[in-house]
Amino acid sequence: ETVMTQSPATLSVSPGERATLSCRASQSVGTRLAWYQQKPGQAPRLLMYDASTRATGIPARFSGSGSGTEFTLTISSLQSEDFAVYYCQQYAGWPPMYTFGQGTKLEIK
Amino acid sequence: QVQLVESGGGLVKPGGSLRLSCAASGFIFSGYYMSWIRQAPGKGLEWVSYISSSGDTIFYADSVKGRFTISRDNAKNSLYLQMDSLRAEDTAVYYCARENNIVFENWGQGSLVTVSS
C-alpha cells in the first residue's frame, strides 16, 4: 500500500499571504495525485488532479506541482474561504487502492 | 447539475448490518465508475470500495473485504453498499463519489453510520 504523508499537520497563515502544503508518497505515483478541500460539515471538493491540473471552477490562485514522491499545493493569496482541511490522494496502480494523506488544516493566523 | 444523495445510515449494534443507498442525478449514471469513501469522526478520508460503470469490476479496501458488498442498479441510477458484520471501527460518515479521470470529481453529502451497543 502506498502511504501518503502530509505536512505540516496545521498551517497558520494570514489572509493575502501564500500557503504551501506538502504531500509525500511512500513510493512513486508518477503524477497520479489529487488534492481535495474540505470545510467543516461539508463533503470534500476536488481541487487538483494529475498533480497540477485544476478541476473545473477552481480559481487560478490554486496551483499544484510535483511528481514521483514529492508534491506541493500552493495557494498564492489566501482568501477567507480557503481556510479548510486539505487532503492529497494517490490513484496510481491497478487494482485501484486509493489512499489519502491524513490532511493539513489551514487556519487563519 | 450532478447530485449524489446518500441514505440508509443510522445506529446499529456490533455484528449488525446496514445498507446504504446513493441516488444519482444530473449525469448519465451508467457511464461512470463509482466509489464509497468514509470518514471516521474527526479523522481523515478512507477509500472503501469501487465499482465499474457496468458493475463487472469491483474492489474493496482490505479493512472491509469480506464484510461489505458494493453494487449498482443503472436502471434506477443508484449505488449501494451492503455492510455486514459491522464493527465499532466502521463508525463513520460514508460518502458516495463519482469518478472522472480516476479521481473523485463529485461527492454526496454523506450518511452517518454509528456502530455501538
Side-chain angles (χ1 to χ4, degrees):
Chain A
E1 174 184 311
T2 302
V3 177
M4 307 302 292
T5 303
Q6 292 185 241
S7 61
T10 304
L11 182 62
S12 300
V13 183
S14 300
E17 292 189 342
R18 174 189 296 256
T20 303
L21 289 67
S22 297
C23 176
R24 174 178 292 179
S26 61
Q27 59 187 297
S28 177
V29 298
T31 55
R32 298 286 197 167
L33 185 104
W35 290 93
Y36 300 85
Q37 176 194 68
Q38 187 179 33
K39 297 178 181 179
Q42 295 185 17
R45 177 175 72 143
L46 176 66
L47 295 177
M48 204 80 58
Y49 63 95
D50 290 348
S52 60
T53 302
R54 276 190 302 276
T56 303
I58 302 304
R61 63 180 182 272
F62 290 89
S63 63
S65 64
S67 65
T69 62
E70 301 283 342
F71 300 89
T72 300
L73 175 70
T74 301
I75 311 171
S76 60
S77 178
L78 279 165
Q79 307 297 302
S80 58
E81 61 266 29
D82 299 335
F83 293 96
V85 178
Y86 291 82
Y87 294 96
C88 63
Q89 176 235 331
Q90 68 81 20
Y91 48 98
W94 186 264
M97 290 295 159
Y98 310 119
T99 48
F100 292 87
Q102 80 282 15
T104 290
K105 182 179 181 181
L106 181 57
E107 63 177 27
I108 300 175
K109 186 175 183 178
Chain B
Q1 75 280 18
V2 173
Q3 260 202 312
L4 299 168
V5 180
E6 300 93 338
S7 61
L11 176 63
V12 61
K13 289 181 168 54
S17 297
L18 212 54
R19 189 195 197 207
L20 301 181
S21 299
C22 172
S25 60
F27 65 102
I28 300 173
F29 181 70
S30 61
Y32 288 86
Y33 298 174
M34 301 290 293
S35 276
W36 288 98
I37 299 152
R38 67 184 180 183
Q39 186 170 36
K43 302 297 184 182
L45 300 165
E46 180 188 17
W47 169 77
V48 171
S49 183
Y50 154 105
I51 187 167
S52 63
S53 54
S54 63
D56 60 355
T57 301
I58 286 172
F59 297 107
Y60 299 98
D62 289 343
S63 58
V64 306
K65 201 174 295 184
R67 300 188 299 121
F68 289 12
T69 304
I70 191 172
S71 62
R72 64 191 296 162
D73 186 335
N74 286 341
K76 294 184 177 179
N77 292 335
S78 292
L79 176 72
Y80 306 102
L81 187 67
Q82 176 67 40
M83 303 183 293
D84 299 319
S85 302
L86 281 161
R87 307 165 179 167
E89 54 265 35
D90 295 319
T91 294
V93 173
Y94 284 75
Y95 296 100
C96 67
R98 184 184 81 153
E99 293 195 22
N100 195 19
N101 294 319
I102 328 179
V103 292
F104 306 119
E105 185 174 51
N106 303 95
W107 300 61
Q109 86 290 348
S111 183
L112 177 61
V113 172
T114 303
V115 184
S116 174
S117 56

